[in-house]
Amino acid sequence: MVESGGCDETPRLEASETTGTVSLTVRITTRTGPDVVCPADSRLGPVRAVLDTALGARTVTDATSGRRLSVHGG
């Protein structure tokens, strides 16, 4: 699940794969500029990544922090 705000584009989840791990990075592009008006809202929604190879027993980590992540199928 990823939280984004009123000026954010739809979040993207990027996966980097090795034989032992899958590292995930969330990318959010925020619109900016003098003429941009952003609604004061917050959205929480799922993000998904398609892997080149089945996850199997590989560890999933946050690419930024290195923390291990829990995985929920879907």
Side-chain angles (χ1 to χ4, degrees):
M1 300 296 283
V2 174
E3 185 176 5
S4 58
C7 267
D8 295 335
E9 300 290 335
T10 302
R12 297 180 328 272
L13 184 62
E14 298 176 356
S16 175
E17 301 179 58
T18 69
T19 57
T21 63
V22 174
S23 295
L24 300 176
T25 303
V26 174
R27 303 275 184 212
I28 300 175
T29 301
T30 302
R31 296 181 308 270
T32 61
D35 297 329
V36 175
V37 178
C38 300
D41 68 347
S42 178
R43 297 178 299 273
L44 182 63
V47 290
R48 297 176 193 267
V50 176
L51 303 177
D52 294 330
T53 307
L55 180 61
R58 293 187 287 176
T59 301
V60 180
T61 60
D62 178 314
T64 302
S65 69
R67 288 185 314 191
R68 187 176 184 153
L69 301 173
S70 59
V71 178
H72 303 279

